[in-house]
Amino acid sequence: MPDNELVAAYKSIPIVTRTLLTATILISLGTAVGAISYHSVALNFPLILYKFHIHRLFTPFFVTGVGFNMLFDLYFLFTYGSQLEQGTFAGRSADFAWFVIFTSLSSSVVANYMGYQYLFQSLLIAVIYLWSQSNSDRIVSFMFGIQFKALYFPWVLMAYNFVMAGASIPWSMVIGAASAHLYYFLDSQYPAMGGPRLIPTPSLLYRILPAQEVAGAGFTAAGGTAATFRTGGTAAAAAGGGHRWGTGQRLG
């Protein structure tokens, strides 16, 4: 019975978030015990371009340190990934998957030029950044009970890492936040200004992860969305699959 409950709890996690958690656990533990070499999962554009190691565009985002900090990393990824997938992207796991893919690819390009090869923190802060935009007026608590609006949460985390790293800028987190903002701008802000949606979710993802009807959201025949989303406690209309939102490690 306990085993069945554990399996049921695992399956209850939204599919994209569950995939991210599973990949992070397997790859991080695999590299820690030596079953997987760090080199084989590191970001390396020459190998991607000339040896077709396409997996290297994604595996760097699933490598985090094994220890107490890993528990916090997994908790944050589970909490904010699940809330995004079940809230902002309710019934539209394909769109959430596309957000993860888009921000990962964007982060990879920048990280390559900055010399970063492991980018879990980029993925995590990207998820938290988008969550903060969707829940901008929500009050969150940080260490010692400090409370502030969710809109500032990514910046508080980056400031905390800056201090804990001895005044070293957490560039991998900055890259992730910038990639998430790029998605947010192209998917929401630019269309709201009258421009086209430049990054629509590929139809292949809709075939893999079909849209589902959920309370408060409806879908068009083409897989687009005509849903209403909460934005800081108010409803905002979203059309065409877009949304309206509230106001790594380096080697060497």
Side-chain angles (χ1 to χ4, degrees):
M1 183 64 70
D3 290 341
N4 291 336
E5 292 177 355
L6 185 61
V7 171
Y10 174 74
K11 290 184 177 180
S12 69
I13 302 173
I15 185 169
V16 176
T17 302
R18 183 169 73 234
T19 301
L20 298 178
L21 288 169
T22 302
T24 300
I25 293 171
L26 292 178
I27 295 177
S28 294
L29 291 180
T31 52
V33 302
I36 303 173
S37 72
Y38 280 100
H39 174 72
S40 68
V41 296
L43 181 66
N44 187 317
F45 262 73
L47 290 179
I48 292 171
L49 295 175
Y50 301 115
K51 297 293 185 179
F52 302 105
H53 290 193
I54 305 301
H55 68 278
R56 293 178 184 272
L57 288 171
F58 303 102
T59 52
F61 294 90
F62 305 121
V63 180
T64 185
V66 175
F68 194 66
N69 286 338
M70 182 180 182
L71 298 179
F72 280 103
D73 288 339
L74 293 175
Y75 171 76
F76 279 134
L77 184 58
F78 164 74
T79 299
Y80 299 107
S82 295
Q83 289 186 22
L84 265 182
E85 193 168 355
Q86 294 178 319
T88 303
F89 293 100
R92 301 179 299 114
S93 290
D95 290 338
F96 183 49
W98 175 235
F99 160 72
V100 172
I101 293 171
F102 177 85
T103 53
S104 296
L105 293 175
S106 302
S107 296
S108 293
V109 172
V110 179
N112 174 64
Y113 287 101
M114 297 186 69
Y116 286 88
Q117 294 185 301
Y118 303 102
L119 299 166
F120 176 81
Q121 293 301 320
S122 296
L123 168 64
L124 182 59
I125 204 68
V127 169
I128 292 175
Y129 180 90
L130 202 65
W131 176 86
S132 73
Q133 296 297 322
S134 187
N135 298 272
S136 58
D137 289 331
R138 184 171 175 175
I139 302 299
V140 298
S141 296
F142 195 53
M143 297 181 66
F144 310 114
I146 300 174
Q147 294 187 331
F148 46 84
K149 288 186 177 182
L151 182 65
Y152 307 113
F153 191 30
W155 313 111
V156 170
L157 288 176
M158 283 188 273
Y160 174 78
N161 276 269
F162 174 79
V163 173
M164 296 302 293
S168 177
I169 298 176
W171 284 112
S172 61
M173 300 181 78
V174 174
I175 292 169
S179 297
H181 183 74
L182 178 62
Y183 173 91
Y184 165 55
F185 175 80
L186 295 177
D187 183 74
S188 177
Q189 290 187 315
Y190 185 60
M193 293 186 290
R197 286 194 68 223
L198 299 176
I199 53 169
T201 302
S203 58
L204 174 62
L205 289 178
Y206 285 122
R207 290 197 289 271
I208 297 173
L209 299 167
Q212 299 177 356
E213 292 286 349
V214 295
F219 295 87
T220 66
T225 179
T228 57
F229 298 93
R230 289 181 318 238
T231 306
T234 62
H243 324 294
R244 290 188 186 272
W245 311 80
T247 309
Q249 290 174 286
R250 188 176 186 174
L251 294 187

